[in-house]
Amino acid sequence: MPSELLYAAKHAKGFMPLEEGLALFETACRYGKLGPICEIGTYCGKSAIYLGAAARQTGSVVITVDHHRGSEEIQPGWAHHDPTLVDPRFGKMDSLPTFRSTIAAAGLEDEVIAIVGRSDQVAALWNAPLGMLFIDGGHSDDPVTRDYEGWAPHVVTGGALVFHDVFPDPADGGQAPYRVYRRALESGAFAEAAVAGSLRVLERIGPGI
C-alpha cells in the first residue's frame, strides 16, 4: 500500500485496526479486478482509504453507502460516541463532512464514490455486479441481516463477501456479524477464504443466498 495512503488511513477517524486494514486492502486488490468494490458503513472514511488505495491499484472503484447519521453503537450514551460529529443544528450525528474531508485529503475522490442513504433503500435500486462487498454498517441483527440480504446477491461468482467485527466468542464483542457470517457460510454460496483479526473473507462459489 502506498506510504502516503497508509499514513492517511492510520490517522483517519475510525475503528479499523492496522492489521485488518491492510488485510482489507490486500483483499480488495485481489477481488477489485472482478468489479466494483462496495462498502456498507462508511463512518468517517478510514476503511474507505484502504479500499480506495486498492481500487486505484486495480483500476476499480469503491461505492460506499451510509446514511451518516450513525449506527446504534456511536449514538450519545454509547461507548463509541464522538460528540464532535454531532450536528448542533439538528442534534443528530453527521459523519459526512468528516468523511468528505478524509477522502479529499487522501486524494481518493476519483476512486471513492459516496452514496448517502439507508443501505436497504439503496440496495433495492442496485443492479450492478460487485467484485467485492464489505459489510461494516450497523452491528445489531437487523442492519447486518438487511445488508447481507440486500447486497450479497450482487457479488459475482469468484468475488468476495467480507465481514468486519466477527467475534465467535461473545466475550470479545457483539454477535450479530458472527451470526450473519455463519448464515452466509451455511448457505453454500460462500466459502471462507481468509481470516485477519475480526475480518472474515468469504469467496462466492455458487448460488443459494
Side-chain angles (χ1 to χ4, degrees), residues 49-118:
I49 296 176
Y50 291 107
L51 295 173
R56 176 176 292 175
Q57 186 165 309
T58 60
S60 189
V61 65
V62 179
I63 309 297
T64 186
V65 181
D66 199 315
H67 50 59
H68 287 279
R69 292 303 188 192
S71 54
E72 183 181 57
E73 59 269 18
I74 64 172
Q75 298 301 323
W78 290 73
H80 297 296
H81 176 63
D82 183 344
T84 68
L85 297 178
V86 175
D87 186 333
R89 296 171 298 172
F90 307 109
K92 294 181 179 180
M93 298 291 293
D94 188 0
S95 54
L96 181 59
T98 302
F99 161 76
R100 291 202 64 177
S101 177
T102 297
I103 296 304
L108 290 171
E109 289 184 304
D110 288 339
E111 288 80 14
V112 179
I113 300 170
I115 297 180
V116 181
R118 277 177 29 195

Side-chain angles (χ1 to χ4, degrees), residues 1-13 18 22 46 49-50 53 102 105-106:
M1 183 169 175
S3 58
E4 68 277 10
L5 291 178
L6 181 58
Y7 179 88
K10 285 181 177 179
H11 291 85
K13 190 186 294 288
L18 177 59
L22 290 173
K46 189 180 188 74
I49 296 176
Y50 291 107
T102 297

